[in-house]
Amino acid sequence: MLHTNPRFTLRLSRERITLLLNIEQNEYKEIGSADPNGSDINQNLDVLRNQVEALSSDLPLIDVMLPDELILIQNLTIEASNDPITAIEAREIISTTCKLKENEINVAIGSPTSHRTQPVAAVTSKTLNETRLFLNNAGFNTRRFMASKPI
């Protein structure tokens, strides 16, 4: 048995669901995978969940890396790099652009990349809820969602 509870991440994509062991911040080691398109997806997810249980003293919360195609990433124009946009402002801009209600999207803001631009990532609440439900039904408890590439 391990002395500390390891942290796990499931990286989702159209071709593969990968179970990753978090070695250090933003450093991972692949310890298993499943084909999301296979007829035995539930059995494969059971194998991944059993791996998590075998390496942990309890069923930990799992981080989830969403596929790039589910995340909208935009560089928003800002007045100045010392006056970055807030998450609330970003949510207003993205919801207007995408014709969604503000409560239908979640945003993450990055640091300004120039004097006039700042990256923002957005994903719909529906996507997060459906993903959480899918993983909960497979026996995983989700802790947080993230992009595979930081903004």
Side-chain angles (χ1 to χ4, degrees), residues 5-73:
N5 255 351
R7 298 226 347 234
F8 299 94
T9 299
L10 282 173
R11 181 174 52 212
L12 308 180
S13 74
R14 288 182 188 173
E15 300 81 29
R16 215 167 153 206
I17 298 173
T18 309
L19 178 61
L20 304 169
L21 177 63
N22 300 18
I23 299 170
E24 293 180 19
Q25 187 174 359
N26 297 324
E27 189 175 332
Y28 305 93
K29 178 179 182 181
E30 181 177 330
I31 59 174
S33 66
D35 179 356
N37 304 308
S39 60
D40 53 354
I41 181 65
N42 291 328
Q43 290 173 323
N44 289 338
L45 288 173
D46 284 344
V47 169
L48 295 181
R49 192 187 68 250
N50 289 337
Q51 285 180 279
V52 169
E53 290 173 352
L55 295 170
S56 179
S57 62
D58 57 2
L59 189 58
L61 297 174
I62 303 291
D63 292 342
V64 180
M65 280 187 193
L66 294 170
D68 293 340
E69 60 266 14
L70 295 181
I71 301 171
L72 171 68
I73 298 177

